[in-house]
Amino acid sequence: MSGDRVRSAPPLLRLSEVRKVFKLEAGLFAAAGRYVWAVNGVSLDIARGETYGLVGESGSGKTTLARTIVQLVPHTAGSIRFFPASGEEESWEIGADDAETLRRFRAQVKYVFQDPSSSLDPRMSIYRILTAGARYAPGGSRSQSLLPRAREVIEAVGLRESDLERRPSEFSGGQRQRISLARALYGNPSALICDEVVSALDVSIQGQILNLLVQLKRQFNLTILFIAHDLTVVSYMADRIGVLYGGSLMEEAPAASFVGRPLHPYSQLLYMSIPRFDVAPPERAANVGTAFNATREPAGCPFSGRCPLVQEICRTDKPALRELAPGHRVACHFVG
Amino acid sequence: MADGQIAAEGRTVSPSGDVVLAVRDLMVTFPTAGGPLRAVRGAGYTLRRGECLGIVGESGSGKSVSAAAVLGLLSKDARVEGSVQVGGREVLTMEQKELQAMRGSVVSMIFQEPSRSFDPIYSIGKTFEETFRAKDRTVTPEESRKRAVQLLSEVHIPRAEERLKNFPHQFSGGMLQRIMIALALSNNPEILIADEPTTALDVTIQAQIAALLRELQRSRQLSLIFISHDLGLVGQVADRILVMYGGIVLEVGPTRDVLTTPHSPYTRALLRALPAWGSHYTREELYTIRGNVPDPTRPEPGCPFAPRCALVREECRQAIPPLRASRAEDGERTYRCVVEGAKA
């Protein structure tokens, strides 16, 4: 599956045909047997040391996909493999039924949430927030021995040792996101999953956090899965970019190749929709057709309802990813 | 558009009579447990007939509060000073009755999250009917239906007739925002205030709503106030831009002019802080603005941007900079900065 890859960097994570179907509860007014097809067969490698940027709109499945990786949401089908050492000899299959592997995996891959004000316990001091995992771990160490690492990570994210005694409410949104990052880094993970980590922040603060992420990546040799809806931010941060729509990967490319020329009609629509003051908004472009409906079993290309290039085959056959330029793969019957 | 003289910010109705809204020296203070919160510390601007004025600011800049004041929507305990004139009439001293008569038929407003602005137990048709009836008790269901269908077609809702029977949850966010706009227009206002109308929407849908507002502005000769934190988006829809920070208007001028040659160091920093398409972390660091957004319960005596400004001087910290004016090719500009031309 990775034989056609130009990049020879060894993978850290490999998703193969990952699917997630949610069953909706039947209720007083709701019929039984309704489902949400959130992720519909996504295969991708995240190379060791790279930043993989996953971009998509709401409902694209980007957050669900990320959550299946750490099993906050167990996947329905497919495989998620983690390669703990450089090379492909050893790999761990990640799933909800292997608790011991999952525990070791979660120490390696940390999830950073969008809204730091709701993901930090307001009653805990920053020190307790950072060390909570270590304190409750089996054989967890006494408080004193945790301080040096807490000091190290809080300074790495640009805050001070004295901040360890304060509580989340005393910090601004940007500073809280720094604390979330420090918490993720505490256990010395090999990867971070950053899910919309700057979208709740003001523009003037956003840049500080993005620069910090780049710096942390270098300092701690991190692999990052960077998830966002903002195409410009993703293209700045990522080494490779994956575009998700309707729970499927529409396009995947090295950042430079993607930025130079997004190929999939959906990627092009996303690109044209970026508000730029020197360009008039696309009057008609996005105006046609119907969006992907995740409550119907998917058939064909998820974008076929809105695509300007649509043909009959698009509604029945789901296009596979085809490589059109080195490392640049597109799931479309007609592009290329 | 410009009438040849350099106007002061927030002048009253101009002799040419094209000003539909004039805000002058607006100050809004909310009492809070932590002391008075000075949400707006001095805002002034004019809105001309048929133009789109974009108000840009980050959270806490006072952009929404200053717009809510136009409709008299601020809570009772807010202390409001200054002047807001709509069609030459003072809003801040209006009685409840007058305010209600003005809302919807002179000034109308749409909000960020359309799904929260609808009553889930009313069909769309019923919601329209209620909106029409609020102004005119004699409207019959048949008239209401006709007018609603026409409004829905104007905002490009397909199969408008059928969709009147639907309930809010049966529409997507983008569709609901279209319906919200149709409702806001249902009593033919002259002024429409759109407060972050696309922030809860996806970027592809955002582009549609921006285009729709632009279209209505032209077809109805609407005067539009478009409030957003997104400089690129405001730049795309607005004829003139007003930049707010820390409750103060730092800069006003024609869109292109403000965005290409900003006079305020804040505007310039904000423009630079946006990652450019094609920039990459391996080649360049993002430009950042040091520090944090100001705390409105502890406003600085001087320019609110002073603690973060790269060009700051001692005098910036002493008092709010006076208003200055300059001229651009396509109209007048005003700004508050003591650093000469703020060119650095």
Side-chain angles (χ1 to χ4, degrees), chain A residues 57-58 172 175 202-205 207-208 210-211 214 217-218 231-233 235-239 255 258-259 269-271 273-283 286-287 306, chain B residues 58-59 178 202-208 210-211 229-230 232-233 235-236 256 259-260 270-271 273-282 284-286 288-293 308:
Chain A
E57 297 181 282
S58 53
S172 68
Q175 288 170 326
D202 277 315
V203 179
S204 71
I205 304 300
Q208 296 176 2
L210 294 176
N211 282 345
V214 170
K217 174 186 162 159
R218 291 180 177 141
L231 193 56
T232 314
V233 168
S235 65
Y236 172 80
M237 289 297 288
D239 299 305
F258 184 87
V259 166
L269 173 61
L270 268 187
Y271 170 69
S273 304
I274 299 172
R276 269 163 294 221
F277 65 82
D278 47 349
V279 182
E283 301 268 339
N287 239 339
R306 297 168 76 185
Chain B
E58 299 181 280
S59 51
R178 285 172 189 275
D202 280 321
V203 63
T204 57
I205 309 301
Q206 166 172 288
Q208 297 174 14
H229 66 284
D230 187 330
L233 181 65
Q236 209 166 41
R256 178 158 296 272
L259 295 182
T260 51
L270 205 55
L271 281 165
L274 294 167
W277 182 255
S279 66
H280 200 251
Y281 81 92
T282 49
E284 64 235 279
E285 242 189 40
L286 289 176
T288 58
I289 307 172
R290 62 186 172 171
N292 284 308
V293 287
R308 308 177 72 186

Side-chain angles (χ1 to χ4, degrees), chain B residues 312-334:
Chain B
V312 65
R313 289 184 196 165
E314 202 35 52
E315 56 185 313
C316 304
R317 302 184 200 274
Q318 310 296 333
I320 292 174
L323 195 71
R324 292 181 166 191
S326 73
R327 284 202 61 83
E329 259 172 50
D330 43 357
E332 72 226 12
R333 303 211 28 195
T334 53

Side-chain angles (χ1 to χ4, degrees), chain B residues 243-298:
Chain B
V243 181
M244 280 192 87
Y245 187 83
I248 286 170
V249 176
L250 288 181
E251 181 157 16
V252 190
T255 301
R256 178 158 296 272
D257 207 57
V258 169
L259 295 182
T260 51
T261 53
H263 287 353
S264 164
Y266 171 65
T267 313
R268 187 175 315 106
L270 205 55
L271 281 165
R272 279 183 68 189
L274 294 167
W277 182 255
S279 66
H280 200 251
Y281 81 92
T282 49
R283 291 189 300 272
E284 64 235 279
E285 242 189 40
L286 289 176
Y287 176 81
T288 58
I289 307 172
R290 62 186 172 171
N292 284 308
V293 287
D295 177 353
T297 60
R298 265 167 288 164

Side-chain angles (χ1 to χ4, degrees), chain B residues 45-58:
Chain B
Y45 56 88
T46 56
L47 178 69
R48 296 161 192 156
R49 190 175 308 284
E51 82 165 340
C52 174
L53 175 71
I55 301 184
V56 189
E58 299 181 280

Side-chain angles (χ1 to χ4, degrees), chain A residues 114-117 172-178 196-210, chain B residues 58-59 229:
Chain A
Q114 169 172 357
D115 186 357
S117 50
S172 68
Q175 288 170 326
R176 284 182 209 164
Q177 201 54 287
R178 290 175 190 268
E196 297 275 15
V197 287
V198 295
S199 54
L201 304 178
D202 277 315
V203 179
S204 71
I205 304 300
Q206 184 175 299
Q208 296 176 2
I209 299 298
L210 294 176
Chain B
E58 299 181 280
S59 51
H229 66 284

Side-chain angles (χ1 to χ4, degrees), chain A residues 159-174:
Chain A
L159 297 174
R160 294 192 203 97
E161 187 186 344
S162 57
D163 290 329
L164 289 172
E165 290 156 29
R166 300 166 68 196
R167 276 161 222 279
S169 62
E170 298 174 57
F171 295 90
S172 68

